């Protein structure tokens, strides 16, 4: 009664029952009633294939291609029929015929999918690149499709696969004026974490397109977020070389110095001469940009440089106090600098001066992230001082903080107190441990190491063994050992 609706199910059932004669008969009947549906020839070919009549099967497939009316619905129908039978070359032939008839819709994405199924990555990639060259506005669609097709992490077939970059570079050499290819190469380099290569291409693109540095600036920020300080430095250096008339000149100078700071201080044992030279750059920059919004960031790094790397804690304190006392300073920024000043007091052993500053911030920002940061620092001060009950109470409150880092740190502090004091309430080992932690904060590593070792000597049954090993590992790491 409804042959078209039930044909597919009946056909598959007949094949399963190996009634090939009947399957052929109903397929031919369908073809007479619906000549436009040339995908039925694929079904007919399948019947022949199952009977090992390969020539008749191929004849049926060729006839399907020959009688195809190359409008999109019929093209998709036939190509999918071939694809279902894993006859991928015939699918490609289907799209080729359609492409000749209708050059405005060249089926790049469909062909790419077939090549992927064939495990022919080079052809798949080139289909996507053809789509990009065919219409430059396709760049985002091509990027999305390649990511979906290749994935990100698979070294063999993923976006890290060198084949993609190689094919792009070939095309760029052949057609250097097609800037969309360079843009796409930069995208691929960033996906592959090749920041140095991305900088070279971005700089070249900036010069050719006369973009005044915008793309290079955007790359610098990407490098920053990936902690690629050296490449970020190169980006900012290129921008600052454009001169004072450039829109990015001032920000490039400032950020370039900040990148130098990050690159140098990430080393386990920074060169003292380089630190002194960097200090001079910071002093010049803070003088120049004192009345701008960039001053605070410069000052923050200069203070860290003086206090933690150049043993100039007193100079750092003066800079912080001057900033805190400036009229019109943003309250949150002022609070950040108060915490920094408290940290320097702590390093110098002025624990209660540090606590006073932390308490001021905690009081002024009770329900904000910076207030919780100050509260946690006060909890750590109580821990250093051996007031473990109060430290644990504060840490337990902060475990529910919405700021993940603070919540995690608070949880760690609470756990170490609970584990170390335990059932016998003997807090002597923990007092030695908390004192060692304070010595680490104050960069007194030899004394800290001796104190950590003394815990094992004096209290053989304590539970701090894993924490001691971890702290010693941190000290060795800091010292570059």
């Amino acid at each position: 009664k409804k042959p078209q609706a039930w044909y597919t199910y009946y056909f598959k059932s007949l094949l399963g029952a190996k009634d090939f004669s009947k399957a052929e008969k109903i397929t031919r009947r369908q073809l007479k009633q619906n000549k436009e549906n040339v995908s039925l020839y694929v079904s007919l070919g399948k019947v022949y294939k199952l009977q090992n009549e390969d020539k008749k099967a191929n004849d049926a497939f060729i006839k399907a291609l020959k009688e195809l009316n190359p409008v999109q619905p019929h093209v998709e129908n036939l190509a999918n029929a071939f694809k279902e039978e894993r006859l991928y070359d015939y699918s490609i032939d289907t799209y080729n015929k359609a492409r000749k008839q209708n050059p405005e819709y060249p089926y790049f994405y469909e062909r790419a999918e077939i090549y992927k199924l064939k495990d022919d990555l080079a052809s798949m990639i080139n289909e996507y690149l053809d789509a990009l060259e065919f219409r430059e506005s396709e760049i985002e669609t091509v990027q999305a499709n390649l990511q979906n097709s290749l994935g990100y992490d698979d070294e063999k077939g993923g976006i890290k696969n060198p084949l993609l970059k190689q094919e792009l570079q070939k095309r760029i050499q052949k057609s250097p004026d097609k800037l969309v290819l360079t843009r796409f190469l930069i995208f691929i380099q960033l996906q592959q974490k090749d920041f140095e290569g991305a900088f070279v291409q971005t700089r070249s693109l900036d010069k050719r397109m006369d973009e005044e540095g915008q793309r290079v600036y955007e790359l610098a920020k990407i490098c920053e977020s990936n902690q690629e300080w050296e490449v970020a430095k190169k980006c900012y250096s290129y921008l600052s070389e454009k001169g004072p008339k450039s829109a990015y000149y001032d920000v490039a100078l400032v950020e370039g110095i900040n990148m130098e700071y990050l690159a140098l201080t990430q080393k386990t044992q920074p060169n003292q001469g380089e630190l002194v030279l960097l200090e001079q750059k910071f002093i010049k920059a803070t003088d120049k940009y004192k009345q701008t919004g960039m001053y605070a960031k410069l000052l923050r790094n200069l203070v860290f440089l003086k206090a933690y790397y150049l043993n100039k804690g007193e100079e750092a304190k003066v800079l912080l106090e001057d900033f805190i006392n400036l009229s019109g300073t943003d309250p949150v920024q002022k609070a950040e600098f108060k915490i920094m000043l408290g940290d320097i007091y702590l390093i110098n052993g002025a624990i209660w001066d540090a606590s006073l500053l932390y308490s001021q911030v905690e009081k002024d920002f009770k329900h904000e992230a910076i207030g919780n940061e100050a509260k946690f620092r006060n909890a750590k001060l109580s821990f250093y001082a051996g007031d473990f009950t109060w430290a644990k109470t504060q840490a337990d409150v902060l475990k529910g903080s919405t700021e993940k880092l603070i919540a995690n740190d608070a949880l760690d502090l609470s756990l170490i107190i609970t584990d170390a004091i335990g059932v016998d309430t003997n807090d002597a080992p923990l007092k030695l441990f908390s004192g060692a932690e304070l010595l680490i904060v104050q960069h007194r590593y030899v004394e800290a190491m001796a104190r950590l070792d003394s815990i094992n000597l004096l209290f053989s049954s304590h539970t701090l063994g894993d924490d001691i090993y971890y702290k010693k590992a941190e000290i060795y790491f800091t010292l570059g050992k």
Side-chain angles (χ1 to χ4, degrees), residues 76-142:
E76 292 291 351
N77 218 12
L78 180 58
N80 286 333
F82 281 130
K83 183 171 76 173
E84 197 174 317
E85 298 305 319
R86 299 186 179 183
L87 298 165
Y88 300 132
D89 289 334
Y90 281 111
S91 281
I92 296 291
D93 290 341
T94 303
Y95 290 128
N96 284 344
K97 181 174 181 179
R99 181 186 274 186
K100 283 179 185 175
Q101 293 292 323
N102 182 14
E104 287 303 305
Y105 190 82
Y107 294 92
F108 294 121
Y109 300 109
E110 294 85 352
R111 285 163 55 92
E113 185 190 351
I114 301 298
Y115 283 125
K116 182 185 177 184
L117 293 170
K118 284 187 70 176
D119 202 24
D120 183 352
L121 287 182
S123 297
M124 182 198 77
I125 287 166
N126 278 299
E127 285 296 326
Y128 285 129
L129 297 182
D130 285 343
L132 185 62
E133 290 201 59
F134 178 74
R135 192 178 289 118
E136 292 190 4
S137 59
E138 294 288 306
I139 186 166
E140 289 182 7
T141 308
V142 169

Side-chain angles (χ1 to χ4, degrees), residues 141-180:
T141 308
V142 169
Q143 287 172 358
N145 274 277
L146 264 170
Q147 285 173 339
N148 291 333
S149 296
L150 290 172
Y152 290 92
D153 300 320
D154 178 5
E155 291 286 354
K156 182 184 174 187
I159 208 94
K160 292 180 181 177
N161 189 317
L163 193 61
L164 179 54
K165 195 192 290 187
Q166 287 166 12
E167 293 297 329
L168 256 174
Q169 286 169 331
K170 281 182 198 171
R171 288 177 182 243
I172 290 170
Q173 286 172 359
K174 188 178 176 183
S175 308
D177 293 334
K178 290 191 175 177
L179 300 183
V180 69

Side-chain angles (χ1 to χ4, degrees), residues 37-66:
N37 186 8
V38 292
S39 63
L40 288 164
Y41 283 111
V42 181
S43 301
L44 200 59
K46 185 173 183 178
V47 173
Y48 298 139
K49 238 180 174 357
L50 288 168
Q51 297 174 87
N52 296 318
E53 296 185 68
D54 291 345
K55 185 177 184 308
K56 287 177 76 174
N58 287 329
D59 288 344
F61 301 148
I62 290 165
K63 192 162 188 182
L65 284 168
K66 188 177 179 182

Side-chain angles (χ1 to χ4, degrees), residues 220-331:
K221 303 312 287 183
I222 292 170
C223 291
E224 275 188 61
S225 64
N226 285 273
Q227 298 187 356
E228 291 286 335
W229 317 126
E230 292 294 343
V231 183
K233 268 169 59 181
K234 289 182 180 180
C235 292
Y236 289 126
S237 177
Y238 170 76
L239 292 170
S240 62
E241 284 167 8
K242 285 178 173 283
K245 291 183 180 178
S246 166
Y248 295 99
Y249 177 72
D250 291 313
V251 71
L253 277 179
V254 170
E255 290 299 339
I257 296 169
N258 287 328
M259 289 308 102
E260 277 191 63
Y261 168 81
L262 292 168
L264 189 55
T265 56
Q266 74 174 351
K267 297 175 182 176
T268 50
Q269 291 180 310
N271 178 279
Q272 201 67 16
E274 290 179 1
L275 289 169
V276 171
L277 285 174
L278 183 58
E279 180 192 24
Q280 295 307 312
K281 287 185 182 180
F282 267 119
I283 291 169
K284 284 182 184 177
T286 49
D287 288 343
K288 182 176 181 180
Y289 295 105
K290 194 163 189 174
Q291 305 303 321
T292 72
M294 296 182 284
Y295 176 64
K297 190 173 182 180
L298 281 167
L299 184 63
R300 184 184 292 111
N301 286 342
L302 175 57
V303 163
F304 272 113
L305 195 63
K306 284 179 179 291
Y308 294 96
Y309 295 96
L310 294 171
N311 198 26
K312 295 181 179 180
E314 290 303 316
E315 290 182 23
K317 276 165 39 178
V318 171
L319 288 171
L320 287 171
E321 286 163 356
D322 288 348
F323 184 87
I324 290 164
N325 293 326
L326 279 175
S327 58
T329 306
D330 175 69

